[in-house]
Amino acid sequence: MKHGFPNLTVIDHPLIQHKLTHLRSEETTTDAFRRLVKEMSHMLAYEVTRDLPLENVRIRTPLAEVAAPMISGKKPCLVSILRAGNGMLDGMLELLPAAKVGHIGLYRDPATLEPVEYYFKVPSDIANRMVIVCDPMLATGNSAVAAINRLKDHGVTTVKLVCLLAAPEGVRAMLERHPDVPVTVAALDDKLNDHGYIVPGLGDAGDRIFGTR
Ligand code: URA
């Protein structure tokens, strides 16, 4: 754990690192960017679900009867922090097709960088599910902290945060406010700039996913 954050897992698999380099490049087109986010979301989903509980069920192979493991309990709930979180949903859902999905709309006030909520819709039984919050960029951490505050207000007790990139400031904010929430990322970058962007980063994830700039 080179970075020293006990709440942080950096997935340094060569495939994810290779794709991240393409994602960062300003030459990457919108359609390639979306495809890369989806592919990286597959790998992040794979890692973040490592500890899903299993139970043995009895099945018959063509050769024998066997007790074999299947995921047990209620299906997880993915929560996308709008709008960039939606870019990760398709990939995550391909690995977790039975997951429920919630959305939390937050925008950053450009002056204060504080999150302002404009939308909140989650499954009514979310308190009984493991929740995986998807937000590509953990920058100041303000949005992720606010979203997880709201989820905990709804009774959620098991939350994980999955991001493409994080800044140390965001990981620290999560550690201070939600030390029980593990954070999984493809890379921990150097810092935030004066506008709250991650450096070197990849720019504005929402704009790059949706081609709005
Ligand atoms: N949000 C983004 O989309 N990019 C950043 O670098 C920081 C926050």
Side-chain angles (χ1 to χ4, degrees):
M1 198 210 296
K2 285 197 304 279
H3 49 70
F5 289 113
N7 57 338
L8 183 69
T9 302
V10 179
I11 310 298
D12 57 1
H13 191 288
L15 284 179
I16 206 162
Q17 293 305 313
H18 177 90
K19 288 176 195 297
L20 178 59
T21 299
H22 282 296
L23 203 66
R24 289 184 190 276
S25 168
E26 64 180 3
E27 290 175 11
T28 299
T29 60
T30 302
D31 72 331
F33 193 92
R34 274 191 208 125
R35 195 182 61 246
L36 288 160
V37 171
K38 188 174 184 178
E39 290 169 357
M40 289 178 66
S41 300
H42 288 157
M43 292 184 257
L44 290 165
Y46 182 79
E47 286 295 332
V48 83
T49 51
R50 262 186 192 285
D51 60 354
L52 282 180
L54 294 170
E55 66 183 342
N56 277 345
V57 297
R58 290 209 76 79
I59 56 159
R60 276 201 72 80
T61 76
L63 300 178
E65 191 177 308
V66 63
M70 288 189 82
I71 292 170
S72 69
K74 272 192 165 309
K75 302 294 182 285
C77 178
L78 305 176
V79 171
S80 162
I81 301 186
L82 298 175
R83 69 184 162 144
N86 277 12
M88 298 175 71
L89 278 182
D90 281 356
M92 301 281 296
L93 281 168
E94 278 179 6
L95 257 74
L96 295 165
K100 307 290 178 192
V101 180
H103 294 87
I104 302 180
L106 297 164
Y107 68 87
R108 280 206 296 183
D109 184 305
T112 64
L113 304 183
E114 289 296 321
V116 182
E117 184 177 304
Y118 62 90
Y119 190 77
F120 186 86
K121 186 82 181 173
V122 298
S124 55
D125 62 354
I126 192 166
N128 305 325
R129 297 177 186 276
M130 188 244 254
V131 174
I132 303 172
V133 176
C134 305
D135 187 3
M137 309 297 276
L138 182 61
T140 60
N142 291 342
S143 302
V145 165
I148 294 169
N149 284 341
R150 293 281 278 129
L151 293 168
K152 289 185 174 174
D153 288 347
H154 269 65
V156 172
T157 56
T158 310
V159 195
K160 299 179 179 209
L161 175 64
V162 185
C163 311
L164 299 174
L165 285 183
E169 293 87 336
V171 181
R172 203 168 297 120
M174 282 295 300
L175 188 58
E176 280 168 16
R177 300 289 300 281
H178 296 294
D180 57 313
V181 175
V183 180
T184 302
V185 300
L188 177 66
D189 274 8
D190 297 343
K191 59 179 181 187
L192 292 181
N193 69 12
D194 293 344
H195 303 285
Y197 279 87
I198 298 175
V199 181
L202 51 75
D204 186 298
D207 279 339
R208 295 202 65 187
I209 291 164
F210 298 111
T212 40
R213 185 163 293 166

